[in-house]
């Protein structure tokens, strides 16, 4: 009877450890997703700054000769930024779902070098 009780206690402890590991994995996943989002936002901001610099350079070059070309460059830049934002909005859910499926859809399998007893 004592060995049964001890076996039950071991099972309960193993279940508790497994629950802790799952909880920790979820926390790590959440941190990774947050980090990926922050990196994406930083990349967007960096691209926006780069495009602004390009625009200002084109504007300065064109200001002396063509006043209207600066507004055309500004319009083109705004259109491209809008396209990038739309692409981001359109694809962020799909990418997030792909990341989540990679994290949650784990296919456990026996390693090819594993040997069964007696084989």
């Amino acid at each position: 009877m004592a060995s049964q009780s001890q076996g039950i206690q071991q099972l309960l402890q193993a279940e508790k450890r497994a629950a802790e590991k799952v909880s920790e994995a979820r926390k790590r996943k959440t941190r990774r997703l947050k980090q990926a989002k922050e990196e994406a936002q930083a990349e967007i901001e960096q691209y926006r700054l780069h495009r602004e610099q390009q625009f200002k350079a084109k504007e300065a070059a064109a200001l002396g000769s063509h006043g209207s070309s600066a507004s055309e460059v500004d319009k083109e830049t705004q259109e491209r930024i809008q396209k990038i934002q739309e692409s981001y909005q359109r694809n962020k859910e799909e990418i997030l779902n792909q990341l989540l499926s990679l994290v949650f859809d784990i296919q456990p399998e026996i390693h090819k070098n594993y040997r069964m007893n007696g084989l």
Side-chain angles (χ1 to χ4, degrees):
M1 191 68 167
S3 66
Q4 274 186 333
S5 176
Q6 186 179 18
I8 291 172
Q9 288 297 321
Q10 286 178 341
L11 287 174
L12 290 174
Q13 288 174 352
E15 184 179 9
K16 182 179 177 182
R17 286 192 306 266
E20 289 171 357
K21 285 184 180 184
V22 167
S23 174
E24 184 60 33
R26 286 186 178 143
K27 288 177 186 177
R28 282 194 311 267
K29 177 193 64 126
T30 303
R31 282 192 303 259
R32 279 185 268 147
L33 288 174
K34 184 177 179 182
Q35 180 185 8
K37 182 179 179 182
E38 290 171 355
E39 289 174 0
Q41 291 295 343
E43 188 176 334
I44 289 170
E45 182 63 21
Q46 182 181 11
Y47 180 77
R48 186 186 64 77
L49 290 173
H50 176 70
R51 291 298 291 175
E52 280 182 7
Q53 288 174 348
Q54 286 180 338
F55 169 73
K56 295 216 185 278
K58 286 182 181 182
E59 184 179 49
L63 209 73
S65 61
H66 300 3
S68 64
S69 65
S71 63
E72 290 177 23
V73 170
D74 185 34
K75 182 180 176 183
E76 180 182 325
T77 302
Q78 291 301 322
E79 288 174 359
R80 287 186 182 179
I81 289 173
Q82 182 65 30
K83 285 180 185 178
I84 291 171
Q85 289 292 343
E86 289 171 1
S87 174
Y88 167 75
Q89 292 298 328
R90 189 173 50 246
N91 295 323
K92 73 179 180 180
E93 280 296 319
E94 181 181 343
I95 298 301
L96 183 61
N97 288 336
Q98 287 177 359
L99 285 172
L100 290 175
S101 71
L102 288 173
V103 170
F104 285 118
D105 297 338
I106 299 171
Q107 302 294 327
E109 56 185 50
I110 296 175
H111 192 273
K112 63 183 180 182
N113 291 339
Y114 179 77
R115 294 186 184 175
M116 301 289 281
N117 289 339
L119 293 179

